[in-house]
Amino acid sequence: MIHLQSCDIAVIGAGAAGLAAAAETAAAGRSTIVIDREELPGGILRQCIHNGFGLTYFKEELTGPEYACRITGLARQAGAELRLGCAVISAVRNADGTFELTLLSAADGVTKLTARALILAMGCRERNRGNLAIPGTRPAGIYTAGAAQKLLNLEGVLPGRRAVIVGSGDIGLIMARRFRWSGIEVEAVIEIMRHPSGLPRNIAQCLNDFGIPLHLEHSVIEIGGRERVEYVDVAPLSDGVPQLERKFRILCDTVLFSVGLIPENELSAELGVELNPATGGAVVDCDCQTSVPGVFAGGNVLHVHDLVDFVSAEAAAAGRAALRYLDGQPAAAKNPVRAGANLKYAIPNYFSPARTTEFSFRPLILSNDATLTAELNGETVWKRRLRHIRPAEMLKAQLPGDLLQQDGELVFNLIQEEVQHA
Amino acid sequence: MLEKHLICISCPIGCELSAGRESDDSTWKITGNRCPRGEAYALAELTDPRRVVTAVVRSNSPVQPLLPVRTDQPLPKRFIDRLLNHLYTLTVKTPVKCGDVLIDNVENSGVRVIFSCDCEK
């Protein structure tokens, strides 16, 4: 006999997104169950022991574990139930519009949970060596930056003694400092782009503080070693092509990859949620509602954020929208939103007339002087001049509802005054 | 005229700061900051550089064998390596709460090391 349970709202993932959403829905009196496969709540925050989190969401600078404690406390105090050590192995929408989740845990075996609304908060995964197809042997000592972070910060295992970090994303930069502070040498950080992809302050405090060289416009062309990594070969890039005659060898026993994140949407796909190729996350309206009615998404499962504070804020908004859905309010209108010049994407993918909406963008360019514009049916209804644009930093803009009075297509463009390609 | 360039680490914006000083004048003039924290950071960085230190210490907890700790304010850089080497020799007893003090006054700097998570058992 399979145990059955039901609730108003099931939240998948007990990280910075899921807990923020659950705090909203439980505080409003809706029975809320948050499911996570880890034994402790907090998601990836638990292994991010460095500071720099929480400045906007909690108005205070916190470390990852502190942020996890705070956001877990908010969800628990609001009355959300946490089901930990429990994996969602399937999710289906029933004919009556409710959802049935099949759960698997060591404590209870296979159980079923029925929910009237779902909030997707599964976060993202790291891209790895396989995604980059770097040639060479397959020795031990190759990790994603997050896997090395987990070994070092949660399990107390030194992943190696002498490392090269591939990619200049924030996790890799943070790990460069963490390695140095753990007695592990960091020989270099290799980045294929002309500009670092992590935050400037992490270049300053994680590389410059330790004199770690950052090779921009360079690529790892081979990883070598029999049992264990012994070296990487690195070459400068010219128009994206490795200059093999200028290659050089770096001796190391460890290679970390910090080369981007991919929203984790296997369950979303199973539910029939339409995905956006530009983000890897769901297509959503201005209520964070996906193409499947009653399924909402927020945080890194929707699009990869730079800052955890924005993850929580977005998921909290998804939680409030789920409450309106359960109250029987009609779904938001679906007028298309399109990312135009120099923008990789714009979220949400639809706007609703007269609704004040916060949009998020990922810029494709680096510029110190550009204008972000919004055109509704070809007419510019909003613009703002921006002085600091980096592909590593998400742009946000709140458009007041009175500017969006009619149906039609909304197009955002990022028009640069001075040209400098990233 | 002496000029130095710094990146502010106070928040994720990362302002590019310039610090200028006449050779006969000992006061630095800071530009490029968007808030007062940028100026404070630059002045500290030029005279007494400090960093918040985060690390893990071993614990006797069966659930969390390592517990995260941090300094409650930036620590002078010259003390960082000695502090880390000391932290890595410790095994702490649980339970602990977020904010509990592990070390009260690192190298008489007035800086504390505190736990940055709860561990009940």
Side-chain angles (χ1 to χ4, degrees):
Chain A
M1 179 71 191
I2 289 181
H3 180 73
L4 295 170
Q5 194 181 3
S6 64
C7 63
D8 290 323
I9 295 177
V11 181
I12 307 176
L19 294 167
E24 294 285 332
T25 58
R30 293 291 182 180
S31 60
T32 302
I33 296 180
V34 190
I35 307 137
D36 198 290
R37 58 191 169 203
E38 294 290 326
E39 296 289 339
L40 294 169
I44 204 71
L45 284 165
R46 290 187 54 239
Q47 67 184 59
C48 300
I49 63 165
H50 54 283
N51 57 310
F53 304 97
L55 280 171
T56 55
Y57 205 72
F58 290 108
K59 312 286 179 231
E60 191 180 337
E61 183 164 20
L62 302 170
T63 65
E66 289 170 325
Y67 192 109
C69 281
R70 295 281 186 97
I71 200 99
T72 304
L74 289 182
R76 284 204 160 121
Q77 280 154 26
E81 180 188 337
L82 271 55
R83 294 281 300 274
L84 303 169
C86 182
V88 178
I89 54 174
S90 93
V92 293
R93 187 168 191 265
N94 298 321
D96 64 358
T98 61
F99 300 92
E100 185 179 89
L101 303 182
T102 306
L103 311 180
L104 181 65
S105 69
D108 302 318
V110 176
T111 57
K112 298 269 190 190
L113 174 65
T114 304
R116 295 171 57 211
L118 273 189
I119 297 175
L120 306 175
M122 293 90 82
C124 55
R125 285 172 189 266
E126 293 177 281
R127 296 176 75 217
N128 56 35
R129 180 193 182 179
N131 296 116
L132 303 188
I134 291 180
T137 56
R138 298 173 63 88
I142 301 172
Y143 309 88
T144 60
Q149 188 179 48
K150 184 174 185 183
L151 285 174
L152 203 48
N153 293 349
L154 296 184
E155 293 171 21
V157 177
L158 285 182
R161 300 190 182 285
R162 197 172 176 190
V164 167
I165 297 176
V166 182
S168 60
D170 284 310
I171 314 169
L173 300 178
I174 292 291
M175 285 312 295
R177 174 177 65 181
R178 186 79 188 101
F179 270 15
R180 285 296 299 268
W181 277 354
S182 304
I184 302 168
E185 287 304 317
V186 179
E187 298 297 328
V189 175
I190 314 296
E191 169 61 56
I192 60 169
M193 306 293 281
R194 200 176 296 173
H195 301 281
S197 59
L199 294 172
R201 72 166 178 177
N202 287 334
I203 301 292
Q205 64 186 349
C206 299
L207 299 188
N208 299 351
D209 269 12
F210 301 94
I212 298 168
L214 170 60
H215 297 289
L216 297 170
E217 285 196 286
H218 279 67
S219 176
V220 173
I221 55 170
E222 187 187 329
I223 297 173
R226 290 174 64 84
E227 301 292 317
R228 179 82 194 188
V229 173
E230 290 165 23
Y231 64 87
V232 294
D233 283 341
V234 176
L237 296 172
S238 175
D239 293 327
V241 180
Q243 304 299 294
L244 296 182
E245 69 284 359
R246 290 168 60 203
K247 76 173 181 186
F248 55 94
R249 179 160 291 186
I250 304 176
L251 300 179
C252 59
D253 64 13
T254 302
V255 181
L256 292 198
F257 283 95
S258 174
V259 289
L261 302 164
I262 306 168
E264 183 172 333
N265 277 292
E266 282 81 359
L267 282 172
S268 323
E270 189 186 334
L271 280 162
V273 166
E274 184 191 351
L275 298 179
N276 177 359
T279 56
V283 170
V284 290
D285 66 17
C286 64
D287 276 332
C288 293
Q289 186 162 214
T290 68
S291 62
V292 178
V295 178
F296 299 79
N300 283 344
V301 77
L302 181 55
H303 59 127
V304 175
H305 296 60
D306 328 314
L307 298 181
V308 68
D309 301 74
F310 297 150
V311 163
S312 293
E314 185 178 84
R320 291 189 295 272
L323 292 171
R324 291 193 292 272
Y325 168 82
L326 290 183
D327 288 342
Q329 291 186 21
K334 287 192 171 183
N335 288 279
V337 173
R338 196 160 60 79
N342 297 320
L343 295 170
K344 188 177 176 197
Y345 63 76
I347 294 276
N349 305 83
Y350 302 105
F351 77 93
S352 186
R355 276 278 301 271
T356 296
T357 304
E358 180 165 74
F359 293 90
S360 302
F361 313 91
R362 182 63 62 181
L364 290 168
I365 54 163
L366 185 144
S367 172
N368 291 322
D369 191 3
T371 303
L372 181 63
T373 67
E375 284 177 20
L376 180 56
N377 298 325
E379 188 189 330
T380 302
V381 292
W382 178 94
K383 62 178 164 183
R384 189 197 293 163
R385 196 146 182 199
L386 299 167
R387 296 288 181 185
H388 185 87
I389 294 166
R390 303 284 179 274
E393 295 170 39
M394 190 193 291
L395 298 176
K396 282 181 168 289
Q398 183 166 300
L399 263 66
D402 56 11
L403 297 180
L404 303 172
Q405 289 293 4
Q406 49 177 307
D407 288 310
E409 189 190 40
L410 186 64
V411 181
F412 288 95
N413 291 300
L414 184 61
I415 299 152
Q416 52 187 340
E417 313 295 334
E418 85 186 302
V419 181
Q420 202 180 4
H421 275 281
Chain B
M1 180 77 179
L2 193 60
E3 192 166 304
K4 292 195 175 188
H5 297 279
L6 306 166
I7 297 169
C8 183
I9 64 169
S10 304
C11 88
I13 294 173
C15 291
E16 291 172 24
L17 309 176
S18 292
R21 177 170 85 168
E22 300 301 332
S23 45
D24 57 348
D25 185 352
S26 65
T27 52
W28 291 93
K29 275 218 163 58
I30 311 299
T31 54
N33 55 306
R34 299 175 201 203
C35 80
R37 293 201 302 161
E39 184 176 16
Y41 168 75
L43 292 174
E45 190 69 4
L46 293 163
T47 54
D48 174 26
R50 293 171 176 241
R51 293 289 183 269
V52 170
V53 179
T54 59
V56 288
V57 293
R58 278 193 291 269
S59 86
N60 66 352
S61 161
V63 188
Q64 290 171 265
L66 297 163
L67 296 177
V69 297
R70 69 171 173 98
T71 57
D72 66 345
Q73 53 182 297
L75 178 75
K77 271 184 166 181
R78 62 186 184 280
F79 297 143
I80 291 177
D81 284 348
R82 274 213 301 266
L83 171 64
L84 288 169
N85 285 331
H86 174 60
L87 289 174
Y88 296 149
T89 66
L90 303 178
T91 301
V92 300
K93 285 204 175 81
T94 53
V96 299
K97 282 234 164 283
C98 221
D100 283 359
V101 176
L102 175 63
I103 300 172
D104 195 32
N105 186 4
V106 179
E107 311 257 1
N108 291 316
S109 62
V111 176
R112 290 171 162 181
V113 176
I114 59 175
F115 288 99
S116 56
C117 82
D118 294 335
C119 182
E120 283 156 23
K121 56 186 177 189

